Amino acid sequence: MSDTPPLPAFSTWPSFPFEGDFRVKKLDDPVAVEPDRRGEGDRECLSCQTPDDAYIWVGERWRVRAMDRPSGLPMVLILETRSHYDLGDLPNLLAAELGVMTVRLERAIRSLDGVARVHVNRWGDGSAHLHLWFLARPYGRLQLRGTFLSLWDDILPPISEQRWRQSLAMVAAWLADFEGRPVAEPPRIEWQAPASFASRDAAAATDRAREADRAREAEAAGERGAWTDAGVTGSESSQNALPEPAESGPEVRIPAQRAGLADDPVDPVDPESVSPDRGAGLPDRASGYTAPTPRSEG
């Protein structure tokens, strides 16, 4: 009969990150005295010795730091007290501020694109200096829900460093709106490289449009050349060209009045030949009165 205990029920949960054949490890015997954590006894505290430049945001009593490189989750941050305290040793002021800082940092991380939830964890078995973990769960990744999110962080492929640094700067700026000083800065733009905010599809569409314009210009130039070879030059066209005068036919004379030539003599108008309708607006020779011309509405 095997002494190995059966697998727990959570091994069948959708959020459990492993599959296959597993067996539970055998428990070690308990120790009589637990070893000192970092920051206890003779062991030095790394948090107390770390300068502010290693954090993304620093305040008078709190500091926030990140990992040294991107991981699989959108964001993983650690909230620490500046002074060397553990959770149960916090004075009342820091104990009250811990709730404020927890809510503030959770909101800052949740404001990032692609973040659905923020898990807040405190273990404290490695360091005696108080530190709370903030782990962001990606939106839509329902398989990552629950207690195994920290395991998935080491399994998922890391996010891009540019996105990671940009998110760090946004969280730092969010916290700095209340107090403290942001240390993390957004990634610098590489001016010599193509702009990353322009999609490749848009650039390809622009190139295709330019090629189409050049093709149309070349086609139009070919048509103009064909017209020139046919005898049409400049801006002249066959529609605007005047016909050559006929070699024979009756001569047509245009009266000077209709031609608008002021230098030519104008024949006097016979009053008897003017009809009453056509006489509207002509001066009355006897009285000098001019009948008004009817005005159209509008």
Side-chain angles (χ1 to χ4, degrees):
M1 182 176 179
S2 175
D3 295 335
T4 302
L7 292 176
F10 64 73
S11 62
T12 61
W13 293 357
S15 60
F16 189 66
F18 308 105
E19 61 183 1
D21 296 331
F22 287 92
R23 60 181 181 180
V24 180
K25 284 185 176 181
K26 182 181 177 180
L27 279 176
D28 297 332
D29 295 331
V31 298
V33 179
E34 291 196 3
D36 291 335
R37 301 174 294 174
R38 292 191 301 271
E40 284 183 333
D42 296 335
R43 298 191 62 183
E44 61 183 6
C45 179
L46 298 180
S47 297
C48 292
Q49 295 180 356
T50 304
D52 285 351
D53 293 343
Y55 291 75
I56 71 165
W57 172 89
V58 294
E60 183 180 356
R61 292 176 293 275
W62 300 90
R63 299 192 295 182
V64 176
R65 65 182 174 94
M67 302 296 97
D68 57 351
R69 64 179 63 88
S71 58
L73 298 181
M75 182 56 59
V76 177
L77 295 176
I78 299 177
L79 174 65
E80 297 180 353
T81 54
R82 180 178 285 277
S83 301
H84 188 81
Y85 289 108
D86 203 350
L87 181 61
D89 303 328
L90 289 177
N92 290 338
L93 174 62
L94 291 181
E97 284 189 341
L98 176 59
V100 175
M101 291 300 303
T102 300
V103 174
R104 189 175 295 173
L105 184 54
E106 192 272 347
R107 288 176 178 172
I109 298 175
R110 189 158 43 90
S111 69
L112 300 175
D113 292 338
V115 173
R117 299 285 185 271
V118 179
H119 293 197
V120 182
N121 301 288
R122 185 261 173 177
W123 289 287
D125 281 332
S127 174
H129 196 121
L130 175 60
H131 58 286
L132 273 69
W133 292 78
F134 291 74
L135 300 93
R137 178 175 68 80
Y139 187 89
R141 295 288 188 177
L142 303 183
Q143 192 176 359
L144 308 186
R145 294 179 297 178
T147 57
F148 302 112
L149 184 64
S150 59
L151 300 181
W152 280 107
D153 184 40
D154 292 330
I155 298 173
L156 298 173
I159 63 175
S160 66
E161 184 171 355
Q162 183 178 11
R163 177 190 173 190
W164 178 64
R165 293 189 178 277
Q166 183 176 5
S167 297
L168 292 178
M170 292 180 64
V171 172
W174 179 292
L175 296 176
D177 282 343
F178 298 94
E179 61 174 313
R181 174 176 62 90
V183 179
E185 296 181 353
R188 299 183 180 276
I189 299 177
E190 298 180 2
W191 295 105
Q192 302 300 328
S196 60
F197 49 79
S199 64
R200 295 181 179 180
D201 294 340
T206 303
D207 293 339
R208 290 194 297 269
R210 291 175 178 174
E211 291 294 337
D213 291 340
R214 285 194 287 266
R216 284 193 293 268
E217 292 177 358
E219 183 179 358
E223 292 180 355
R224 287 195 297 268
W227 280 103
T228 303
D229 295 340
V232 179
T233 60
S235 61
E236 297 177 354
S237 63
S238 58
Q239 295 180 352
N240 297 332
L242 296 177
E244 295 293 335
E247 297 181 356
S248 62
E251 181 180 359
V252 180
R253 294 188 59 188
I254 302 176
Q257 278 184 309
R258 295 179 58 187
L261 301 178
D263 296 337
D264 293 347
V266 180
D267 295 334
V269 179
D270 185 5
E272 299 298 333
S273 64
V274 178
S275 62
D277 294 337
R278 294 181 59 191
L282 297 178
D284 188 349
R285 295 186 179 183
S287 61
Y289 168 76
T290 302
T293 303
R295 299 175 59 185
S296 61
E297 295 182 358

